[in-house]
């Protein structure tokens, strides 16, 4: 396969482009959440539920609180709203009846894809413009950048100094 010519770019230009993409995605999440009848925190938590479901794993409410960096009380509110909106259901953990397992409702995926679908189709078309080696580089970059973001956010969260 012949590689498509790409415009030259510096790391500064790439960083700027990434910042703009993240900003656009953040505003987009607000619109997507609203369209799904949720707020952004609820949508983020729903994303963790979807991720666990796709991995074939069960997600307990306490683990969701940890992932979302919310108190257990706040997660209870999130789960109440997600359940009322028909995206999840709660059931007792068969191994520990004190814990609650969060399960995605069968119709949730379809409802979510109705909103995200057009975006995913556009992204699929964009990825089709890249060959397999370039897709591998993009996947590696996204994976490693996510890890770096996680480390940096943890440092920021743990730094108790006030901004100057």
């Amino acid at each position: 396969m012949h590689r498509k010519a790409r415009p030259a770019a510096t790391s500064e230009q790439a960083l700027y482009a990434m910042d703009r993409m993240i900003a656009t995605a953040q505003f987009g999440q607000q619109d997507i959440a609203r369209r799904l009848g949720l707020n952004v925190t609820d949508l983020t938590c729903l994303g963790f539920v979807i991720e666990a479901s796709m991995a074939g794993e069960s997600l307990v409410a306490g683990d969701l609180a940890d992932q979302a960096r919310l108190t257990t009380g706040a997660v209870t509110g999130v789960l109440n709203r997600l359940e009322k909106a028909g995206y999840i259901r709660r059931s007792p953990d068969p191994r520990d009846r004190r814990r609650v397992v969060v399960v995605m409702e069968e119709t949730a995926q379809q409802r979510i894809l109705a909103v995200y679908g057009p975006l995913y189709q556009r992204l699929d078309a964009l990825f089709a413009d890249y060959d397999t080696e370039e897709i591998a580089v993009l996947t590696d970059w996204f994976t490693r950048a996510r890890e770096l973001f996680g480390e940096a956010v943890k440092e920021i969260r743990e730094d108790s100094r006030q901004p100057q």
Side-chain angles (χ1 to χ4, degrees), residues 1-7 129-131 134:
M1 175 183 259
H2 186 274
R3 278 205 175 152
K4 181 177 179 179
R6 307 275 178 219
D129 197 36
Y130 294 86
D131 65 33
E134 291 172 316

Side-chain angles (χ1 to χ4, degrees), residues 35-53:
R35 177 94 179 274
L36 291 170
L38 304 172
N39 64 48
V40 173
T41 300
D42 295 351
L43 181 61
T44 300
C45 289
L46 182 57
F48 290 130
V49 175
I50 292 168
E51 192 175 314
S53 176

